[in-house]
Amino acid sequence: MAADPALGPPALRQRAAFALLGTVQVVLIATITVITVALPAIQAELGLTETDLVLAISAYSLSFGGLLLLGGRLADLLGHRRVFTAGVLVFGLASALAAAAPNLALLVAARFGQGVGAAAAAPAAMALLGSVFPAAERRGRALAVWGVLASIGAGTGNIVSGVVLHWVSWRWTFVAPAAVAAVVVLAAPRVLPSGPGLRREKLDLPGAVLATAGLAALIFGLTEVHSLWIAVGTVLLAAFGLTQLRGSSPLVPPSFLASPRRVAALTAIALTAACMATYFFVLALYFQQVRGYSTLATSAAFVPPALAVVSAGALAGRALARYAPAAVTSAGLGLSALGLAVLSGISADSAYVGPLLIGVVLFPVGAGFTFSGATVWAVSDAPAHQAGLAGGVMNTAMEIGPPIGLAVLIPLATAHAGTTPTPAAVSSGYAFAFLLAAATLTVAAALTLLLRTRATR
C-alpha cells in the first residue's frame, strides 16, 4: 500500500484508510434517510406540495441506484482512487448546493447530483479495500465490518435528522455531508493507495444506458407504486440482460452472476435491506403518530439499534473467522426474523422498554450479521479487475431492496389496518407488516442454510 509515510506504520495507514472509506460509506447511506424527518420543515420553508416532496426524496435514490453498475465499472477502468475522489467531490458540491437551494428545482437537481457522486464513490470505496488490505485474512475482516456500515448509515440518518431539526435549520443536514466530503477529498491522496491504473477496455455504453434507465425506472416505479414505471424498468432490465449475454465487453459479465453463492448472497442483502427500510419507516411513524414522540425523542429511540449495529460488526467479524460466510448469513437472517417477529406484537400502548425494545435491538443485530456474512460471501472471490463491479452489484442489491420492501409491505399494512385509522388499527397494520417481513426472512434463512448444506456435500 503506497501512502504517505508520515502516517506511520502499515497497520496505522490501513486503519486510517479504512476509517476514511468507511466514513464515506456511512455518510452516503445516511443521506438517504437524513432528509425524511426534515420533510415537514422543507415543505413549510419552500412551499412544496406532497408531490414535490416525493421528488426531493426520490431524486437521490434514482441517480444513486441507477448509476451504481456504471460507477463500479468506471472504477475498474479508470482507477479506484481516481473515481472515488471524483465521486466524493461531486457528492460534496451537490450537498452544498442542496444546503443553499432556494426552490424545489435546485433542491431536486442537487439531490440528483448527490446520487451521481455517490454512485461513483460507493463501489470505488469498496474496491479500494483490496488495495488497503492485500492479505486475505485482514481483507475478510474488513469486509465483515464493511457489511454493517450501511445499517449504521441508515440509523445515523434517522438520529442526526431529529437532533439537527431540534436545534437548527434543515439545511444543516446537507452542510455536514459537504464538510465531510471536503475533508475526504483533501485527505484521499495522502491516505489511500492508488489502486490499479487505467485499463484499456471498451465500456459497454448500450448496457450502461439500459442498466441505468432500467434501474432508475424500476426504483421510481416501486417508490411510487406505479405499475407503468415498474413495467418499463423490468423491460429495460430484460433488454440489458440480453445485451450482456451477446456483448463482447459486457458491463456485467454473465459469469459474474453465474455463481449460486453470489446470487444467494445478493438476494440476502436485498431482502434484509427491504426489511430494514420497512423497519425504520414503520417505527418512525409508530413513535411519532401512534405514541406521540417528538422528533428528538424519535431520534433517541433509534440510538439503541444504532449501537447494536456497531456491536454486530465486531461480533460478525469474529464469527466469520470461525464459520463460513453462508452460515453467518443464515444465522443473521434467522436472528433478524426473530427480531421482526417480536416487533409483530406491538400495539397502540406498547411501552418502549420491554418486548418492543428487544425487537428494536434484535433486528439490527441480525441485519448486521446478514450484511457482513453476505458481503464476504458475495465479493471475497471477485478478481481484482472486477472489484469495482463487485461493489457496484452489491450496492445495487442494497439500493433495490428498500423500494421493494416499502412498495409491498406498506400497502399490505395499510389494507390490514382498515379504513378507520385509529391508533389500535394503525398499530395492527404495522404489526402485520413486521410479521410478513419476519416470515420472508425465515424462508430466506432456511434456503440459505439449505444451499450451504448442499454445497458442502
Side-chain angles (χ1 to χ4, degrees):
M1 174 179 173
D4 193 323
L7 291 174
L12 180 59
R13 295 201 300 268
Q14 288 178 329
R15 286 194 291 269
F18 185 83
L20 189 75
L21 296 171
T23 297
V24 170
Q25 178 71 357
V26 169
V27 170
L28 296 183
I29 301 301
T31 301
I32 300 173
T33 58
V34 74
I35 193 177
T36 305
V37 181
L39 289 176
I42 295 173
Q43 183 178 30
E45 181 174 330
L46 299 183
L48 307 182
T49 66
E50 297 292 333
T51 303
D52 295 336
L53 289 179
V54 170
L55 286 175
I57 294 172
S58 60
Y60 182 74
S61 296
L62 289 177
S63 54
F64 189 8
L67 290 166
L68 275 167
L69 292 179
L70 177 59
R73 182 60 175 157
L74 288 175
D76 288 334
L77 293 179
L78 302 179
H80 298 156
R81 190 177 71 183
R82 183 180 289 108
V83 172
F84 170 78
T85 305
V88 173
L89 178 61
V90 171
F91 173 82
L93 292 174
S95 298
L97 177 61
N103 53 47
L104 175 67
L106 281 179
L107 179 61
V108 171
R111 289 283 288 172
F112 190 88
Q114 283 183 307
V116 172
M126 189 172 178
L128 279 165
L129 293 179
S131 299
V132 174
F133 301 99
E137 182 179 353
R138 297 206 66 180
R139 184 167 61 251
R141 290 201 298 269
L143 284 171
V145 176
W146 191 268
V148 303
L149 293 181
S151 302
I152 294 173
T156 300
N158 284 285
I159 295 170
V160 169
S161 58
V163 174
V164 168
L165 285 172
H166 184 77
W167 297 109
V168 293
S169 166
W170 60 268
R171 296 182 182 277
W172 285 90
T173 61
F174 295 109
V175 172
V180 171
V183 173
V184 170
V185 169
L186 292 174
R190 292 172 56 85
V191 176
L192 300 178
S194 59
L198 294 173
R199 299 179 64 235
R200 297 184 179 277
E201 290 187 17
K202 180 182 177 182
L203 178 65
D204 179 16
L205 287 177
V209 171
L210 287 171
T212 300
L215 286 169
L218 183 61
I219 291 171
F220 181 77
L222 290 169
T223 302
E224 295 298 298
V225 195
H226 197 298
S227 56
L228 176 60
W229 283 106
I230 293 174
V232 170
T234 302
V235 169
L236 289 174
L237 289 176
F240 167 70
L242 290 176
T243 64
Q244 302 309 284
L245 291 172
R246 298 176 179 178
S248 58
S249 182
L251 189 70
V252 182
S255 59
F256 187 81
L257 296 177
S259 167
R261 55 177 282 181
R262 181 168 286 125
V263 172
L266 294 173
T267 302
I269 290 171
L271 289 176
T272 304
C275 293
M276 177 163 281
T278 304
Y279 162 93
F280 280 119
F281 183 86
V282 167
L283 286 178
L285 292 179
Y286 173 78
F287 289 141
Q288 294 182 80
Q289 295 182 355
V290 177
R291 301 294 295 157
Y293 287 15
S294 66
T295 55
L296 189 61
T298 300
S299 294
F302 283 117
V303 170
L307 296 176
V309 168
V310 174
S311 301
L315 293 173
R318 295 177 184 176
L320 285 164
R322 299 184 57 185
Y323 304 104
V328 175
T329 302
S330 183
L333 289 167
L335 195 59
S336 299
L338 180 59
L340 292 170
V342 173
L343 287 173
S344 70
I346 64 170
S347 64
D349 57 357
S350 294
Y352 183 77
V353 178
L356 174 59
L357 180 58
I358 293 173
V360 164
V361 170
L362 199 57
F363 170 74
V365 171
F369 271 79
T370 302
F371 287 138
S372 291
T375 298
V376 174
W377 202 19
V379 307
S380 59
D381 64 342
H385 70 277
Q386 290 184 336
L389 171 63
V393 170
M394 197 211 74
N395 279 282
T396 298
M398 195 164 288
E399 285 299 304
I400 204 70
I404 292 176
L406 294 173
V408 172
L409 293 174
I410 299 307
L412 291 174
T414 302
H416 185 83
T419 56
T420 306
T422 63
V426 172
S427 299
S428 176
Y430 292 160
F432 183 62
F434 284 134
L435 184 61
L436 292 177
T440 300
L441 293 188
T442 299
V443 173
L447 293 176
T448 302
L449 190 59
L450 179 62
L451 176 63
R452 176 179 179 268
T453 303
R454 288 184 174 180
T456 55
R457 287 178 180 174

